[in-house]
Amino acid sequence: MKKTSLLLWIGLSLGITAKSQNNFALDLDGTNDKIGVVDAVSLNPTSAITVEAWINADTWKSNVWAGTIISKQAGSPDRGYSLSVGENGKVDFTVSVGNVWKSATSAAIISLNSWTHVAGVYNGSSVKIFVNGILKNETATTGAISVSTGTTMYIGENPTWTGRYFDGTIDEVRIWNIARTDQEIAASFENSLTLPQTGLVAYFPMNEGSGTAVGDSSGQINNGTMVNMDASTDWVGGFEVATEDVSVTCILSPTSFVSNYGSAEKVSVIVSNLTANPISNVPVGYKINNGSVVTDTIHQTIAGLATSTFTFPATVDLLALDTLYIQAFTTLSSDDNKTNDTLKTMVNSSLTGMIFDGEQHNFSSAGQLRQKKISLPDTLINVSQILLHVDLRCPSGGCDPWDQYACIRLVDNEGETWELARYITPYGKACGDWVFDITDFKSKLKGNVMFESYIQVWGASGWLVDAELEFVSGTPQFKYIKIDKLWNNDYQVYGDPAISYDLNDTTVIVHPNTQAMKIRLTTTGHGQANTGNAAEFMDVTHQISVNGANAFDHHLWNADCNVNTCSAQSGTWQYARAGWCPGQDVQPDYFDLQAYLQPLQSITLDYILADYTNLLNTGYNGSSHTEPFYRIHGYLVSYGNSPLIGIQEHNKNNLDAFVYPNPSTGEVSINFTNLKGNTKIMIYNVQGSLQQNFDINVMGNITKSFDLSMLSKGMYFINIISESGTNTQKLILK
């Protein structure tokens, strides 16, 4: 095991030793392998807890809770704790506090086939999650831990919600009845422990190497037993600390989607740093089919547990290739883990491609949420439309018998979620052939895209989901489309006097390059047996206001449920509903804002729900009546043939630029900080008419001067758009 002398010195001072040569771990198959530990008082701390393990995952489960590392969870009421991993490398620690689950979850930063240390802590004031000794997330909460007395603890599976198996190798499991500090975790995670240790209630070094017993070295005698495992094959080599470990985790281009490859294409890859230490000067390379190897170096520093997107500068001729095999790799000589250095893929250029192919959704091991990353082209110049096709099939146990909310979502690089499509499952039968136009999300549908499929299903059978992307060739009406969030609420309570249903209004500045603008709104009402049968069976009209005045009526009612394409269902499928029908797609409503399109002028948008008071707003029990609420996703979509900037970016002024003198007699200077690449400077009058524009291509901290003496006296707007950000400022000419 590798470590620096400084870490060794810190470890020895804290009573920590290096892992011995008798270094074993247990390999779990992700199907039924687990290690059982009989319940004991010491495994049920009440005021604080720390749970740690080294893991090396072979595959990811679709949900972060579905890949159990250590769990002592119980339900009815919720009790205990669980450390788990999934969703392409997220780690989660969940603790029941006051019989309510409280969680801290990391981003998707762990890689397959790489040893990683994970730890969860509850200290009485917050739940924390650590990866390789670094705090990655924290959730504030207070109270005592609700203990799961009588529940067996499992390593590798959940004792209550079965089927949540971990697929990979686990080593060095530790459970404490104290909250280890950030410093203690950082100092000790790379090493085995010397004993005794204060607060240690279970410690499984997993160094037996044979047999089915997994001994507890803490002194508490919480020994484990291998279940459904083969002692002759499941004992494998234990964790090894990597001080340097890089991996090609994605080939961004060329991609199978859309591209008609030419003679001057470029190869782009994502390289991940899988350790906590920053790494520089990483050699990378690729080979296409049986061609020659192309190499280069990523000179920038890749921070610990971070990624870098690298595009090879040299172009490659792909014009004559029918089939394309690409192999990308890193060749860092000091890399401690060579097993994950190379990624291979086959590219078949196509205008269609499956995102989800028969992915099961249920309230069991498959889970309600499925995720998949797809590499899409960075440019879609010759694409006129992007369509999403969705179908439902029945699993072997039959389709779920209830009408449930379902959607397909996109998660962007900033971790924001965007609902692409919504539908409602039918009563117990296969259905679909639904088509959603998602062209409005064009700016998000590029690069390495995470898609999510979600069905709020509560049965063990559920559904099989097919979702396919289709790119329609042609010249788009608008070259640029920008989409921004207005309202984003999956549980807007309606009619409870104690809860306001006044949505926030949004004020935006119209970008000068905007040629068309619309609101894209998807709203459905849920809950029933309330006053007026709100909100599922309530025929009501809401309003959209622009600049404080009613501009559009939104009549939220579907009266054609009895004739939808998934007819002849069970249940009440034929009854009209608030914006949806069982077994039907929920298509968005559009509201045209062309009449309000004035460049650089502000627009205030508000969605106003009709007045309503639910006289049955107490005692919801899920049977006689359920709380009325709306699912509301509203977006502002801007269209143009010149680059556009979204609401958030425009209002941030995230480019540091200072205009002086201001007021000015005509000679104006702009001081830029950290300017990057091509920059456009546009001068508009108060009516939004472009008066003058400049293009510069410079880098760094600079000052540029401009002669505006030909303009009349008055107020102007200076709009600056660059690769490093945007900035809009007022200028007075006197």
Side-chain angles (χ1 to χ4, degrees):
M1 186 178 62
K2 303 173 178 66
K3 68 187 78 62
T4 64
S5 57
L6 175 61
L7 281 174
L8 178 60
W9 182 85
I10 293 172
L12 290 172
S13 69
L14 293 173
I16 302 162
T17 62
K19 196 168 177 71
S20 69
Q21 294 302 310
N22 188 34
N23 186 7
F24 292 100
L26 279 169
D27 184 19
L28 291 80
D29 64 6
T31 301
N32 62 0
D33 286 0
K34 58 188 174 184
I35 300 152
V37 182
V38 176
D39 181 42
V41 173
S42 58
L43 297 175
N44 296 301
T46 58
S47 58
I49 188 171
T50 302
V51 180
E52 304 178 62
W54 276 90
I55 64 169
N56 191 330
D58 295 330
T59 62
W60 297 129
K61 297 296 177 71
S62 295
N63 301 281
V64 68
W65 43 259
T68 305
I69 302 167
I70 305 154
S71 182
K72 203 174 184 298
Q73 285 185 307
S76 301
D78 295 332
R79 294 164 289 131
Y81 51 87
S82 183
L83 182 66
S84 59
V85 66
E87 291 184 34
N88 294 287
K90 293 182 180 179
V91 189
D92 175 270
F93 184 54
T94 296
V95 181
S96 178
V97 179
N99 298 124
V100 176
W101 296 123
K102 301 293 183 180
S103 301
T105 308
S106 78
I109 54 176
I110 294 181
S111 179
L112 297 173
N113 306 310
S114 179
W115 279 109
T116 305
H117 182 269
V118 295
V121 173
Y122 176 60
N123 59 11
S125 60
S126 65
V127 182
K128 299 180 177 182
I129 192 74
F130 295 81
V131 177
N132 282 350
I134 301 173
L135 176 65
K136 303 309 297 182
N137 203 358
E138 184 173 4
T139 301
T141 188
T142 58
I145 300 171
S146 305
V147 299
S148 54
T149 303
T151 301
T152 299
M153 185 180 78
Y154 280 129
I155 298 171
E157 205 226 357
N158 191 294
T160 299
W161 293 282
T162 58
R164 301 180 178 183
Y165 292 100
F166 174 78
D167 182 14
T169 308
I170 297 179
D171 196 7
E172 197 73 16
V173 173
R174 310 168 185 174
I175 302 174
W176 312 71
N177 64 10
I178 57 174
R180 300 274 283 173
T181 67
D182 299 14
Q183 294 78 12
E184 287 172 330
I185 289 175
S188 66
F189 80 93
E190 293 184 305
N191 305 277
S192 297
L193 298 175
T194 57
L195 301 171
Q197 290 278 332
T198 302
L200 188 65
V201 297
Y203 177 35
F204 305 99
M206 297 185 177
N207 284 336
E208 286 82 359
S210 62
T212 59
V214 183
D216 171 22
S217 300
S218 71
Q220 298 289 331
I221 321 178
N222 291 313
N223 297 317
T225 302
M226 294 162 57
V227 181
N228 302 321
M229 299 181 70
D230 187 342
S232 65
T233 59
D234 290 340
W235 288 104
V236 296
F239 82 91
E240 295 289 343
V241 179
T243 56
E244 291 190 347
D245 184 9
V246 290
S247 171
V248 175
T249 51
C250 180
I251 298 173
L252 282 176
S253 63
T255 173
S256 293
F257 280 98
V258 184
S259 303
N260 297 312
Y261 296 118
S263 58
E265 302 294 334
K266 289 191 175 183
V267 174
S268 294
V269 297
I270 295 178
V271 174
S272 298
N273 178 5
L274 304 177
T275 70
N277 306 313
I279 299 178
S280 302
N281 300 319
V282 177
V284 290
Y286 72 86
K287 183 172 75 169
I288 293 176
N289 293 349
N290 293 317
S292 57
V293 172
V294 177
T295 60
D296 211 308
T297 302
I298 303 175
H299 294 290
Q300 72 177 80
T301 298
I302 309 175
L305 300 174
T307 63
S308 175
T309 299
F310 181 77
T311 301
F312 290 85
T315 60
V316 57
D317 185 357
L318 305 179
L319 189 61
L321 299 181
D322 294 324
T323 304
L324 191 157
Y325 293 90
I326 182 166
Q327 173 178 313
F329 49 85
T330 63
T331 56
L332 187 69
S333 59
S334 54
D335 194 322
D336 296 320
N337 178 19
K338 306 291 187 184
T339 62
N340 57 15
D341 290 357
T342 301
L343 184 64
K344 302 176 183 178
T345 188
M346 183 179 74
V347 175
N348 288 317
S349 185
S350 173
L351 290 171
T352 62
M354 297 300 292
I355 306 173
F356 300 104
D357 188 358
E359 294 284 345
Q360 186 168 10
H361 297 60
N362 61 18
F363 197 65
S364 186
S365 58
Q368 298 173 319
L369 177 75
R370 307 306 298 267
Q371 292 185 315
K372 190 171 182 182
K373 274 192 175 180
I374 302 287
S375 291
L376 299 176
D378 281 329
T379 56
L380 297 170
I381 339 176
N382 299 318
V383 171
S384 61
Q385 197 176 25
I386 306 172
L387 302 176
L388 176 63
H389 300 261
V390 179
D391 290 280
L392 292 181
R393 292 185 277 131
C394 295
S396 56
C399 282
D400 187 82
W402 295 105
D403 52 335
Q404 303 286 2
Y405 158 77
C407 68
I408 306 289
R409 302 185 292 232
L410 174 152
V411 183
D412 65 19
N413 292 330
E414 285 72 44
E416 281 198 78
T417 301
W418 305 76
E419 186 184 86
L420 303 177
R422 187 184 308 180
Y423 62 96
I424 308 295
T425 63
Y427 287 94
K429 63 179 293 185
C431 202
D433 198 23
W434 301 310
V435 182
F436 301 89
D437 187 333
I438 59 171
T439 314
D440 289 337
F441 297 91
K442 183 177 178 179
S443 61
K444 301 290 180 183
L445 293 165
K446 60 182 182 180
N448 202 26
V449 178
M450 173 70 77
F451 290 93
E452 292 184 341
S453 175
Y454 174 80
I455 301 179
Q456 188 176 281
V457 58
W458 302 107
S461 181
W463 305 91
L464 303 178
V465 175
D466 296 329
E468 183 181 39
L469 275 180
E470 178 187 0
F471 293 86
V472 180
S473 295
T475 303
Q477 181 183 2
F478 296 104
K479 186 177 178 182
Y480 297 94
I481 301 176
K482 194 69 174 72
I483 191 162
D484 295 281
K485 292 179 181 177
L486 293 172
W487 310 290
N488 187 41
N489 198 324
D490 276 315
Y491 203 88
Q492 181 69 49
V493 175
Y494 188 47
D496 189 333
I499 302 174
S500 170
Y501 54 84
D502 180 20
L503 279 73
N504 292 330
D505 58 16
T506 303
T507 300
V508 303
I509 298 174
V510 179
H511 189 272
N513 292 338
T514 305
Q515 294 174 264
M517 184 181 285
K518 296 178 182 177
I519 293 172
R520 177 190 176 110
L521 178 63
T522 309
T523 302
T524 51
H526 305 271
Q528 43 79 28
N530 304 294
T531 309
N533 280 324
E536 180 175 338
F537 298 105
M538 187 177 189
D539 184 348
V540 69
T541 298
H542 306 301
Q543 295 180 346
I544 294 175
S545 75
V546 180
N547 296 330
N550 180 39
F552 307 100
D553 290 337
H554 187 211
H555 184 208
L556 191 66
W557 194 241
N558 272 31
D560 62 349
C561 292
N562 60 330
V563 293
N564 77 42
T565 56
C566 200
S567 60
Q569 304 172 41
S570 304
T572 59
W573 62 271
Q574 71 272 30
Y575 295 166
R577 285 169 167 84
W580 61 274
C581 299
Q584 198 174 85
D585 49 333
V586 181
Q587 293 293 342
D589 294 309
Y590 284 91
F591 302 91
D592 194 344
L593 295 173
Q594 198 69 28
Y596 304 92
L597 210 58
Q598 298 182 46
L600 288 176
Q601 298 303 300
S602 64
I603 299 180
T604 300
L605 304 170
D606 197 5
Y607 188 36
I608 302 169
L609 300 183
D611 288 339
Y612 167 68
T613 300
N614 179 21
L615 301 179
L616 298 171
N617 66 303
T618 59
Y620 298 115
N621 56 22
S623 56
S624 62
H625 60 282
T626 53
E627 186 173 58
F629 70 95
Y630 283 111
R631 296 185 186 274
I632 304 170
H633 285 260
Y635 300 109
L636 179 69
V637 190
S638 304
Y639 306 86
N641 287 311
S642 298
L644 297 165
I645 301 168
I647 298 169
Q648 290 86 355
E649 293 95 329
H650 188 89
N651 291 341
K652 276 179 186 173
N653 276 354
N654 51 6
L655 169 66
D656 190 357
F658 175 65
V659 178
Y660 68 95
N662 192 3
S664 169
T665 57
E667 186 72 20
V668 174
S669 296
I670 305 178
N671 178 261
F672 299 96
T673 302
N674 293 325
L675 192 64
K676 294 179 182 176
N678 295 318
T679 300
K680 183 176 285 294
I681 301 165
M682 296 168 287
I683 317 295
Y684 293 88
N685 62 18
V686 291
Q687 288 77 37
S689 175
L690 181 64
Q691 302 298 297
Q692 216 169 349
N693 66 86
F694 306 92
D695 290 297
I696 59 175
N697 190 356
V698 289
M699 306 279 286
N701 303 329
I702 63 158
T703 298
K704 297 289 288 184
S705 297
F706 306 93
D707 183 8
L708 304 180
S709 58
M710 72 291 298
L711 299 180
S712 304
K713 294 179 181 179
M715 186 174 73
Y716 295 86
F717 292 94
I718 301 180
N719 186 224
I720 307 165
I721 304 173
S722 81
E723 294 176 19
S724 52
T726 67
N727 197 302
T728 300
Q729 296 199 16
K730 290 181 181 178
L731 170 69
I732 304 295
L733 291 181
K734 61 181 183 179

